[in-house]
Amino acid sequence: GDDPNIKGVFLKGRKVQLSPFAMSQFEVTQELYEAVIGNNPSNFQTDVADGEIQTLRPVDCITWYDAVNFCNILTELTMGVEHCVYTIEVTEMDDSQMHITNATVTLNLSKKGYRLPTEAEFEFAARGGDPTKSEWKYAYAGVQTLNTPSEFAASTSDDVLLDFAWSTPKYSNNISHEVGKKKPNILELYDMSGNLLEWMYDWYNINPLIDDNIYSNGDFVVNPLGASTGESKIRGRGCFNSAEPHTSAVSLRYFSAPSDIHNYIGFRIVRTITE
């Protein structure tokens, strides 16, 4: 179809170059978030699935601003404040003071501290990191769909997801799960098509080809960051409560206001590999 939200970042005719980066194998857990920030705002702190460890479920119910703040605090604790990627000027907290609901955030990609992945980095990693391999064209992170192309977006089930993703209530029991319980993709990254949706750095623009000319079709772009301003941040792909399996596709684009707090949004972290 013509819907730009299902085509992802790596469109035909677009040349994208990414600098070396490292990505966490897992979504940030409740245990890690609480150790760094000092509280655990997650909705899912009961009803843990049999055999799973509660504290190793991904942290949920955090704003985009909370996620970038976590990255800075973790960087301060492990590397030093001089390596923080973000500058964060907080302008609004919620009543409990547990969430940042508005802030001015800028980033410096030359810093080596922890940060959120860009949409391009996330999709590149989810697809296996090598456009020459067959895995690059898989529908999901690590596995190809069983559906025909014409059925893909309309199907209500896709049993290959059972091994690779907590996606749709049929497979997830409509709750989050301990990270790393499903099979990884070829890069040994887990839960890239399921469990929680994940915050990314980029502002959302419905057509990534025209995001402030950053993605001019045919141009050679380095480390694209999406639009320079916006009202929503990119998130994705795939979630325990996804209505349909195709919403776990590596190329599907979701978005939410950065102040949103949902029990189905978490995040994972990356860092730029510097000399």
Side-chain angles (χ1 to χ4, degrees):
D2 294 325
D3 184 353
N5 290 328
I6 64 174
K7 294 184 178 180
V9 171
F10 297 94
L11 300 182
K12 186 176 182 180
R14 177 191 294 164
K15 300 178 181 71
V16 178
Q17 178 182 317
L18 299 178
S19 297
F21 66 96
M23 175 177 277
S24 60
Q25 281 189 285
F26 309 109
E27 295 168 333
V28 171
T29 63
Q30 296 182 27
E31 178 181 67
L32 178 58
Y33 190 89
E34 186 165 11
V36 171
I37 300 299
N39 65 65
N40 179 8
S42 301
N43 171 73
F44 285 113
Q45 298 192 47
T46 58
D47 299 324
V48 63
D50 288 347
E52 294 187 17
I53 299 170
Q54 161 59 29
T55 55
L56 297 183
R57 295 165 91 178
V59 67
D60 63 75
C61 287
I62 54 159
T63 68
W64 180 88
Y65 303 107
D66 293 333
V68 295
N69 180 60
F70 171 92
C71 292
N72 265 17
I73 301 299
L74 182 62
T75 300
E76 289 180 29
L77 292 171
T78 58
M79 301 180 194
V81 67
E82 69 273 19
H83 298 296
C84 285
V85 171
Y86 302 108
T87 57
I88 306 170
E89 297 176 30
V90 177
T91 54
E92 186 177 291
M93 303 281 291
D94 75 353
D95 291 340
S96 69
Q97 300 298 298
M98 286 178 65
H99 295 289
I100 303 171
T101 50
N102 205 357
T104 301
V105 178
T106 58
L107 90 163
N108 182 344
L109 277 179
S110 70
K111 302 281 191 175
K112 70 174 185 178
Y114 295 104
R115 58 181 177 81
L116 295 181
T118 65
E119 184 181 17
E121 287 171 335
F122 187 95
E123 186 180 332
F124 178 81
R127 295 175 72 156
D130 187 345
T132 67
K133 292 187 176 179
S134 58
E135 286 86 357
W136 181 262
K137 294 183 179 179
Y138 286 177
Y140 311 112
V143 67
Q144 183 58 287
T145 178
L146 293 176
N147 295 316
T148 66
S150 60
E151 291 174 337
F152 181 51
S155 177
T156 56
S157 65
D158 204 347
D159 286 346
V160 294
L161 282 169
L162 196 57
D163 288 334
F164 286 85
W166 299 109
S167 177
T168 77
K170 174 182 176 181
Y171 305 120
S172 70
N173 201 29
N174 215 28
I175 58 173
S176 72
H177 290 266
E178 178 183 338
V179 300
K181 284 293 192 180
K182 296 292 189 178
K183 290 180 181 178
N185 74 352
I186 195 172
L187 294 178
E188 297 290 311
L189 299 170
Y190 293 83
D191 297 318
M192 295 289 280
S193 281
N195 219 353
L196 298 191
L197 297 172
E198 301 180 24
W199 287 119
M200 300 174 209
Y201 176 77
D202 308 43
W203 287 111
Y204 170 77
N205 185 319
I206 191 168
N207 188 348
L209 285 176
I210 59 169
D211 283 357
D212 296 346
N213 297 314
I214 289 171
Y215 282 149
S216 296
N217 199 14
D219 284 358
F220 192 82
V221 292
V222 179
N223 299 323
L225 293 170
S228 58
T229 60
E231 296 180 356
S232 298
K233 289 289 184 178
I234 293 286
R235 58 179 172 84
R237 307 345 196 200
C239 181
F240 70 85
N241 69 359
S242 298
E244 297 163 336
H246 86 275
T247 59
S248 293
V250 291
S251 63
L252 196 79
R253 309 176 73 227
Y254 278 115
F255 53 95
S256 287
S259 58
D260 282 0
I261 298 172
H262 295 296
N263 68 2
Y264 52 80
I265 305 180
F267 69 109
R268 78 181 64 220
I269 54 178
V270 304
R271 59 183 178 83
T272 302
I273 298 174
T274 56
E275 294 299 325

